[in-house]
Amino acid sequence: MIKPLPPALIFIAAAFLIPFFKGRLKSLYLLGVPALVFLDLLCMPEGKYWIVPFLNYELVLGRVDKLSMAFGTVFVLITFIGVLYALHVKDDPQHMAAFIYAGAALGVTFTGDLFSLYLFWEILAIASVFLVLARKTAASSAAAFRYFIWHFFGGICLLAGIILFVSRQGTAAFAYIGLSDWPSYLIFAGFCLNAAVFQLHNWLWDAYPRATVTGAVFMSALTTKSAVYILARNFPGTACLIWAGAFMTCFPIFYAVIANDIRRVLAYSLLNQVSFMVC
C-alpha cells in the first residue's frame, strides 16, 4: 500500500516547480497538484503520521481525524476551484504564493503539535502578503504592509502564548486549550485575529479588496477558515466566541450598505459569514 505524504509539503514543494512549466502543460500541472493532494487525502486513515523528534518534544505533521479531514477536504477542493479560476493569470510568483498559501492552510489543519502549527501559521501569513503585493499598485503595497503588521502582531501573541503554555504544561500537543490563564489568552488572541473577531478585523476589509482578483479568492477561502478550524479545535464552547460571533454577524452589514466598491461589499459579507462560523 502506498503511504500518504504530508499534503502541506506536496503543495509547498510543487510551488517551486511552477516556473519550469509553460503553456498548456502548466495549466495541467496547476490543476493536477490539487487533484494529487485530494487523492493523498483519500489514502490517509485516522491517526498520527510523520512524527519528528524535536528537542524534548515531538513534531506531528499529520494528525488525521474527522474534524481535520473535513476542513482539509474543503481546503483542497476550494484550492482546485481557485486554481481553475486563475488559469488565465500569467504570473508565476502569484501562482507560487497561492500554492504555498494552500499548503500552509493544510499544514495548520493536519498538524498535531503547537510548534508546527506556529510554523505553518506564519507561512500562511507571509504567502498571503504576496497575494496582496501581486496587485502591484501603491494602494496594494500599503495594504500589504498593514496586513503584515497585523499578522506579525498576531504571530507574536501566538508564539509567546505557545512558549508559556508549553513550559507550564510540559507538552506541545495541539489539542483542547480553553481559556484559563495568560498563555491561553495570548494563544486565543493570535487565533482570533486571523478569524477577524471584532476589534481584530480591520485588516480584512483593508487587504482583501486590494489583493489581486484571483488572490482574493484564495484569501477569502483559507485564512479566516483556518482560524475557525483552530478555534473549533482548541476553544470549543468558549462563551465569549458566541457573543463576539453574534455581534459580528450584524455590524458588517451596515458598512456593506454604504460601500460603493463591490469588492469591499464582498469583504464585509465575508466577515458576516465567518461570524456565523465563530458563533
Side-chain angles (χ1 to χ4, degrees), residues 66-76 106 109 225 228-229 232:
K66 290 181 174 60
L67 183 63
S68 62
M69 185 59 74
F71 275 82
T73 302
V74 171
F75 288 163
V76 172
L106 288 172
T109 304
K225 311 314 179 295
V228 168
Y229 163 76

Side-chain angles (χ1 to χ4, degrees), residues 14 17-34 83 87 89-90 92 95 99:
L17 299 178
I18 291 175
F20 296 99
F21 293 89
K22 304 296 180 184
R24 190 179 299 274
L25 187 59
K26 173 172 287 188
S27 297
L28 292 174
Y29 178 76
L30 292 174
L31 291 173
V33 173
V83 168
L87 285 180
V89 175
K90 309 301 179 184
D92 286 346
H95 288 308
F99 267 36

